[in-house]
Amino acid sequence: MSPRNTFELQRLAIMAKAAAAKAAARILHHNEVSMCVIGKLALAYYNVPVQFNFCDIEICVAQQSFYAASSILCSTGLFEPCQPHPESGNYLERMLYPHVKTTQWTHTPQVIVILPSTVMTLGGIDELIPLMSGSIRHCISECIYDFCNGDIADLRFPRLPLLIRGLANKVITEADTDAMASITQLVDGMNLDEEWLMRNISGLGPAVESLILNEIRSKELRVGLTPGKKITRFVRDSECAVWLKRIAGYE
């Protein structure tokens, strides 16, 4: 497949995921169900390159609404229940959570995995995720360049410190290798340093702090893995590094 065709498929996948995530967010908000986007879309929001063709949309909903969320989405006719793909990551774990998919109104069927907020130790979702405003121009990672500002305004993402805390908790309590890989990617994607760690992660215990600190101190060793990147393997130059700090949720 030519690079141009690969780029076009990636662009279409991003647009399809944006449409599905946006529809789910609006439906749940209308029904007073608090939610946020996690998983690969959250990584991309924080400047981690993602192959959108091969990932599901993952959302967290408030614990008290966990069992109702899938029924609410399917009641609209825009979504229907489905099963996780046997080849998807953490297949056995995913079997525990509801899955829904779009009903032929997106370019390709889009699967949404619904998880309770306790899985990522996010607690009260409304208090932890910044509300976006469609009238305000936020800095947006180039990894989600095909999301327009309006799409971002309809979605909620965990603030970066909360996302990393939740991932670190999964690493420590469950030895979750995918969560560990995500922490490393977020450190490189947002060029996190020890000052950021002290401002945002201090007080959570030496195990969590040491886990993240090790990734921060080793990020320079990973720069050579991506041609053309000078700051980290995902950050091109110092100008880009400054700009990333303006992404909503960085602190």
Side-chain angles (χ1 to χ4, degrees):
M1 183 177 296
S2 70
R4 182 173 181 177
N5 288 340
T6 301
F7 175 83
E8 181 63 16
L9 286 175
Q10 176 81 336
R11 189 182 70 83
L12 291 172
I14 294 173
M15 293 176 67
K17 281 181 170 48
K22 185 175 181 177
R26 287 188 170 184
I27 292 167
L28 293 175
H29 177 72
H30 179 74
N31 286 273
E32 300 182 342
V33 174
S34 299
M35 64 149 280
C36 70
V37 179
I38 58 171
K40 297 296 186 183
L41 282 183
L43 294 184
Y45 177 78
Y46 288 117
N47 200 47
V48 174
V50 169
Q51 289 295 319
F52 287 100
N53 314 48
F54 307 106
C55 69
D56 295 335
I57 301 164
E58 296 181 24
I59 65 172
C60 269
V61 299
Q63 180 67 30
Q64 64 269 25
S65 305
F66 171 60
Y67 294 104
S70 60
S71 297
I72 290 171
L73 292 175
C74 293
S75 69
T76 65
L78 296 176
F79 298 90
E80 61 185 6
C82 67
Q83 294 296 317
H85 194 281
E87 296 181 3
S88 63
N90 296 328
Y91 173 68
L92 293 178
E93 179 184 352
R94 283 171 175 262
M95 287 289 291
L96 301 173
Y97 306 116
H99 287 58
V100 299
K101 66 178 180 180
T102 52
T103 53
Q104 300 182 351
W105 55 271
T106 51
H107 174 69
T108 53
Q110 297 300 312
V111 174
I112 297 180
V113 187
I114 304 170
L115 301 97
S117 56
T118 51
V119 169
M120 290 292 291
T121 60
L122 292 178
I125 286 182
D126 280 334
E127 300 175 8
L128 304 180
I129 295 142
L131 287 173
M132 306 287 183
S133 169
S135 62
I136 300 175
R137 297 292 302 179
H138 293 284
C139 286
I140 296 175
S141 161
E142 61 184 16
C143 294
I144 49 173
Y145 49 80
D146 276 309
F147 279 74
C148 69
N149 230 42
D151 291 327
I152 295 298
D154 281 316
L155 301 179
R156 287 180 169 182
F157 297 89
R159 291 193 300 110
L160 183 55
L162 297 167
L163 179 59
I164 287 186
R165 290 176 198 173
L167 291 167
N169 184 66
K170 287 178 70 66
V171 173
I172 292 169
T173 61
E174 304 171 25
D176 190 316
T177 55
D178 287 342
M180 187 69 246
S182 295
I183 291 172
T184 305
Q185 291 173 324
L186 288 166
V187 166
D188 293 349
M190 296 299 290
N191 189 33
L192 301 183
D193 56 25
E194 294 185 35
E195 291 183 0
W196 183 93
L197 176 66
M198 292 302 296
R199 289 196 306 271
N200 294 285
I201 308 295
S202 62
L204 294 182
V208 171
E209 293 178 24
S210 176
L211 178 75
I212 302 168
L213 183 60
N214 287 339
E215 298 310 305
I216 288 174
R217 289 179 173 174
S218 62
K219 65 182 177 179
E220 292 183 0
L221 301 176
R222 298 186 291 270
V223 175
L225 298 176
T226 308
K229 307 298 183 183
K230 298 179 180 179
I231 306 299
T232 74
R233 60 175 167 155
F234 299 145
V235 180
R236 182 174 54 254
D237 51 35
S238 56
E239 181 180 353
C240 181
V242 171
W243 168 79
L244 287 171
K245 295 180 180 180
R246 296 172 56 199
I247 291 178
Y250 171 75
E251 295 278 2

